[in-house]
Amino acid sequence: MGMEQKRSLIIGASGGIGMALADASALRGEVVRLSRSGDGLDITDEVSVASALGAIEGDFDRIIVATGGLSINGSAPEKSLSAIDPAVMEAQFRLNALGPALVLKHLAPLIPRKRASVVGVLSARVGSIGDNNLGGWISYRCAKAALNQILRTAAIEYGRSRKLAICAAIHPGTVETALTKAYLSRHDAVPPIEAAENILRVLDGLTPDNSGQFFDWAGKPVPW
């Protein structure tokens, strides 16, 4: 028996993980890809987000927001409070929290009302407040923590009109991409296609009872 065919939307489909997610999803059904390089999508600009999402017809069984960035404009993650730069922190929030928030704001018409669907947003374990035992990386941590709250809130709102919709934050693990290249020496990493398969397996295994929760690449809950 083959895999169930699903229609997928991948936002951020030109990035390392996003491209792998789109390619893996294409083996499972139709895929619509959106990205900055391919479509001029700027998720930090509401006009751009509304235009891109508003131009799409139909709805989706699976939607994944695979945008984000660890180092923006060459600014490495802070090692201490003394390294906080307001401009860098603002840029982190714009890309990693505001951007997905704008996507979720305009996404509802693409989520089915009458059948099951899943919206996965790529987050990061370092955004977990409960799991923070090392400190550092303040702007990135805070932006991802904000993203988690946004996702949780969206799940509650979507659930009122789309009771079969599942919204989940996903930690993809450390993936071999340009984003993580400078930090791989201290972590085990997997190729993007392996990460994509892990993410799809987790998302496709969730139920509406899991909506508004945070999972890692293996399907294990991550503390907020």
Side-chain angles (χ1 to χ4, degrees), residues 3 6-10 17-29 31 61-64 118 120 122 170-172 192-206 216-219:
M3 289 179 289
K6 295 187 177 184
R7 187 172 192 238
S8 299
L9 170 63
I10 310 299
I17 302 177
M19 186 180 297
L21 281 164
D23 291 345
S25 297
L27 301 174
R28 297 161 164 84
V31 177
D61 305 295
R62 183 194 297 118
I63 300 170
I64 305 177
V118 62
L122 297 193
I170 303 292
H171 166 61
I193 191 60
E194 184 177 336
E197 292 289 347
N198 291 336
I199 292 165
L200 292 179
R201 187 183 312 112
V202 172
L203 290 177
D204 291 350
L206 300 179
D216 71 7
W217 59 270

Side-chain angles (χ1 to χ4, degrees), residues 119-132 140-153 155 166-173 199 202-203 206-224:
V119 177
V121 179
L122 297 193
S123 186
R125 186 180 294 277
V126 294
S128 166
I129 295 172
D131 193 60
N132 181 1
Y140 185 70
R141 283 187 188 276
C142 292
K144 288 295 189 180
L147 168 62
N148 291 345
Q149 181 69 284
I150 292 162
L151 184 282
R152 173 85 170 184
T153 303
I166 305 156
C167 298
I170 303 292
H171 166 61
I199 292 165
V202 172
L203 290 177
L206 300 179
T207 70
D209 288 341
N210 300 129
S211 192
Q213 297 178 16
F214 186 11
F215 298 94
D216 71 7
W217 59 270
K220 297 177 181 177
V222 180
W224 293 120

Side-chain angles (χ1 to χ4, degrees), residues 35-222:
S35 68
R36 177 187 287 273
S37 63
D39 309 279
L41 172 64
D42 178 359
I43 65 162
T44 68
D45 178 77
E46 185 165 12
V47 172
S48 179
V49 171
S51 175
L53 295 181
I56 297 174
E57 296 184 358
D59 56 24
F60 294 87
D61 305 295
R62 183 194 297 118
I63 300 170
I64 305 177
V65 184
T67 57
L70 173 59
S71 176
I72 301 175
N73 298 326
S75 299
E78 310 97 336
K79 294 182 178 179
S80 66
L81 291 169
S82 62
I84 289 176
D85 180 322
V88 171
M89 181 172 278
E90 182 178 351
Q92 280 287 345
F93 269 81
R94 286 187 63 80
L95 179 61
N96 288 309
L98 173 65
L102 291 175
V103 169
L104 291 167
K105 175 180 178 180
H106 292 277
L107 204 57
L110 305 180
I111 301 173
R113 287 182 179 271
K114 303 294 186 182
R115 70 178 195 279
S117 62
V118 62
V119 177
V121 179
L122 297 193
S123 186
R125 186 180 294 277
V126 294
S128 166
I129 295 172
D131 193 60
N132 181 1
N133 299 305
L134 296 175
W137 290 33
I138 300 134
S139 295
Y140 185 70
R141 283 187 188 276
C142 292
K144 288 295 189 180
L147 168 62
N148 291 345
Q149 181 69 284
I150 292 162
L151 184 282
R152 173 85 170 184
T153 303
I156 294 169
E157 183 172 328
Y158 286 161
R160 293 178 182 139
S161 59
R162 294 162 173 80
K163 297 188 183 303
L164 297 178
I166 305 156
C167 298
I170 303 292
H171 166 61
T174 304
V175 185
E176 296 169 358
T177 68
L179 182 149
T180 61
K181 184 168 61 175
Y183 309 96
L184 290 182
S185 60
R186 65 189 88 160
H187 298 285
D188 293 330
V190 298
I193 191 60
E194 184 177 336
E197 292 289 347
N198 291 336
I199 292 165
L200 292 179
R201 187 183 312 112
V202 172
L203 290 177
D204 291 350
L206 300 179
T207 70
D209 288 341
N210 300 129
S211 192
Q213 297 178 16
F214 186 11
F215 298 94
D216 71 7
W217 59 270
K220 297 177 181 177
V222 180

